[in-house]
Amino acid sequence: MRLYDTLSGGVRDFAPLRPGHVSIYLCGATVQGLPHIGHVRSGVAFDVLRRWLTAKGFDVAFIRNVTDIDDKILNKAADAGRPWWEWAATYERAFTAAYDALGVLPPSAEPRATGHITQMVELIDRLIDRGHAYAGDGDVYFNVSSLPDYGKLSGHRIDDVHQGEGVATGKRDQRDFTLWKAAKPGEPSWPTPWGRGRPGWHTECVAMCQEYLGAEFDIHAGGMDLVFPHHENEIAQAEAVGDGFARFWLHNGWVTMGGEKMSKSLGNVLAIPAVLQRVRAAELRYYLGSAHYRSMLEFSEAALQDAAKAYTGIEDFLHRVRNRVGAVVPGEWTPKFGAALDDDLAVPTALAEVHAARAEGNRALDAGDHDAALTHAMSIRAMMGILGADPLDERWESRDETSAALAAVDVLVHAEVRRREEARARRDWAEADAIRDRLKEAGIEVTDTSDGPQWSLLDGADK
């Protein structure tokens, strides 16, 4: 398996630090508002990575944090006249619901920043003791110039660094970044050796990586917008205390609209509940996961509907096989599918293999070769399961009321069709026609084929 490592700037062979075990840390949400499709793309992309590693036999420890204390959270809660902790908890639940709706597996652990203040204080103490951090006016800052190779992840030259934090009087150098913020009136704070205050953004992930995955682990993942300053500043802290930290850095591309990153400031946000009014959850997952994780995904309504149509094509084939042949259990993925995912999670190539199997399966079904059709269907279930979007998985069928209703109708219709076949066998044509007419009145058409009677829903105009 080979993965693109942002730090080295190329695709490298991946082997875990511990044989049989893969450790992954994904930077999760800053829970300031409703999640949009740009937020959850990383959740879907790295869920595929996790599923593929698990399918290959690895035990995967997957940590995804929650940033529940932040300037934006405090400001929005204050503007709304709500407690900051209630605001954070409300939108943490919204993110959890969005991940769950899209079939993203729950993380092994989901630590919150506010639950790891002790670990952050200990980390900052170590940085101060080693001469890489200093206190000023109650704040604590990281001394960027103390690390000669600062900027190696993002490619920033140290002389050109701008942290985006504004001017602070306690900073010795405006290139330095904040580790701890002094308490302000009305804001939450915790006691520390430097006075009461709250954590800076970049400290929390280093502390939680160390707490849950150790001083060195396999993969650190997140959106490409986190490369600088967040991930650059994580590396700086870990390196400064002598930790190996992440061996691979993986970053997913943005969801864009009109070529611009989807964000609240652009006013082009598509919240998950709103999108799920237009397509099913499985279709939205298919859409978000269909592009290569490192590529930009340009959103359009047409592209979303095209993805929904492609997913429905796979779903329809599996239903055809199940209706004609019987139960379809997951089988084996194809060698080309496995090779694609081993090549830096090349999902577009993997999906091409799924659709090739669907086309072959449909041809086999039309030719009456049920064994071949079933083999293709079983393979598709295996491949789509790894992509987290198997149409016959109970999570999607049970969550889709239309599918559930059709499944119930299928049982009833097949009972009527059997009665019709029995009537025809005893040459009771009047009874057979009466059953057919009742089904037609209910909007169901029965067609006699070489595979036996098949039923479909009539359009309103045909009833």
Side-chain angles (χ1 to χ4, degrees):
M1 186 174 184
R2 292 169 60 79
L3 295 171
Y4 184 90
D5 172 30
T6 305
L7 183 58
S8 64
V11 176
R12 297 198 291 121
D13 290 340
F14 174 76
L17 189 64
R18 288 170 45 199
H21 177 84
V22 178
S23 47
I24 302 174
Y25 184 93
L26 172 62
C27 276
T30 298
V31 286
Q32 58 171 306
L34 287 174
H36 58 63
I37 60 175
H39 288 134
V40 298
R41 187 187 180 192
S42 67
V44 171
F46 297 116
D47 185 61
V48 173
L49 171 63
R50 179 186 183 182
R51 288 172 181 268
W52 178 232
L53 289 167
T54 301
K56 287 167 69 71
F58 290 102
D59 173 44
V60 181
F62 192 96
I63 310 301
R64 185 182 68 216
N65 77 299
V66 174
T67 298
D68 61 343
I69 184 75
D70 175 86
D71 288 346
K72 294 176 182 177
I73 294 171
L74 297 178
N75 292 337
K76 291 187 176 185
D79 290 345
R82 308 302 292 269
W84 68 272
W85 50 265
E86 180 200 37
W87 191 269
T90 297
Y91 292 109
E92 180 182 342
R93 289 193 297 272
F95 269 87
T96 298
Y99 288 131
D100 183 59
L102 297 184
V104 174
L105 296 172
S108 307
E110 194 167 23
R112 298 182 183 93
T114 55
H116 296 78
I117 301 296
T118 299
Q119 290 88 340
M120 287 187 252
V121 170
E122 290 172 349
L123 172 63
I124 294 170
D125 246 343
R126 292 170 67 194
L127 290 168
I128 292 174
D129 289 344
R130 288 174 176 244
H132 292 288
Y134 59 91
D137 295 341
D139 299 318
V140 183
Y141 302 100
F142 185 92
N143 180 8
V144 166
S145 63
S146 70
L147 284 182
D149 61 351
Y150 181 87
K152 62 184 180 181
L153 180 69
S154 61
H156 281 61
R157 293 181 54 184
I158 194 167
D159 292 339
D160 300 327
V161 166
H162 299 281
Q163 297 291 347
E165 296 181 349
V167 177
T169 57
K171 279 189 182 183
R172 298 174 185 170
D173 187 324
Q174 290 305 312
R175 297 172 300 182
D176 296 345
F177 61 87
T178 305
L179 299 173
W180 190 261
K181 298 185 176 186
K184 294 180 182 178
E187 289 189 354
S189 63
W190 289 261
T192 75
W194 326 288
R196 295 190 67 87
R198 60 183 175 88
W201 178 31
H202 310 303
T203 309
E204 63 178 89
C205 286
V206 181
M208 287 188 277
C209 284
Q210 293 170 336
E211 178 72 12
Y212 292 90
L213 299 178
E216 187 175 12
F217 56 98
D218 292 310
I219 297 170
H220 197 312
M224 64 179 295
D225 52 318
L226 299 179
V227 173
F228 186 87
H230 187 50
H231 288 169
E232 192 72 75
N233 291 345
E234 284 188 49
I235 290 178
Q237 294 170 79
E239 186 175 293
V241 295
D243 290 345
F245 212 52
R247 299 170 68 243
F248 279 77
W249 289 84
L250 273 60
H251 293 95
N252 65 277
W254 296 332
V255 177
T256 58
M257 291 184 70
E260 297 184 84
K261 177 192 172 187
M262 184 174 292
S263 66
K264 289 181 173 62
S265 62
L266 292 176
N268 55 11
V269 176
L270 284 168
I272 299 299
V275 180
L276 292 180
Q277 294 296 315
R278 306 198 296 280
V279 294
R280 294 177 294 165
E283 294 166 344
L284 178 56
R285 178 181 174 115
Y286 179 95
Y287 170 68
L288 291 175
S290 60
H292 193 282
Y293 77 94
R294 287 195 287 117
S295 67
M296 298 298 184
L297 180 60
E298 175 68 13
F299 177 82
S300 71
E301 194 66 36
L304 178 64
Q305 295 302 328
D306 285 345
K309 184 177 180 181
Y311 177 84
T312 301
I314 298 168
E315 182 180 46
D316 287 347
F317 167 67
L318 293 177
H319 285 167
R320 287 184 71 201
V321 174
R322 185 171 63 181
N323 290 340
R324 293 193 187 186
V325 184
V328 180
V329 298
E332 298 291 331
W333 62 79
T334 69
K336 288 184 179 179
F337 178 90
L341 292 190
D342 275 343
D343 182 18
D344 193 34
L345 292 181
V347 171
T349 305
L351 277 174
E353 187 69 1
V354 171
H355 287 288
R358 177 187 59 82
E360 289 293 328
N362 273 320
R363 282 192 285 270
L365 202 58
D366 292 340
D369 188 349
H370 289 176
D371 289 343
L374 181 59
T375 298
H376 286 301
M378 292 168 64
S379 178
I380 287 172
R381 282 207 66 186
M383 294 186 285
M384 290 297 286
I386 290 167
L387 299 178
D390 171 14
L392 297 188
D393 187 287
E394 63 179 7
R395 104 166 271 111
W396 301 122
E397 290 208 314
S398 64
R399 286 170 178 261
D400 179 2
E401 293 183 3
T402 300
S403 294
L406 286 175
V409 170
D410 185 63
V411 173
L412 298 175
V413 171
H414 273 94
E416 285 293 276
V417 168
R418 282 195 298 272
R419 289 184 57 215
R420 178 172 175 263
E421 289 300 291
E422 291 168 358
R424 292 179 57 166
R426 62 177 184 266
R427 297 182 177 274
D428 188 348
W429 309 118
E431 176 64 12
D433 289 345
I435 293 172
R436 182 197 60 202
D437 292 342
R438 281 201 302 272
L439 289 172
K440 188 172 184 179
E441 181 66 24
I444 296 166
E445 181 178 43
V446 177
T447 304
D448 295 311
T449 73
S450 58
D451 291 323
Q454 303 295 322
W455 70 270
S456 60
L457 294 174
L458 290 167
D459 291 334
D462 297 328
K463 290 175 62 176

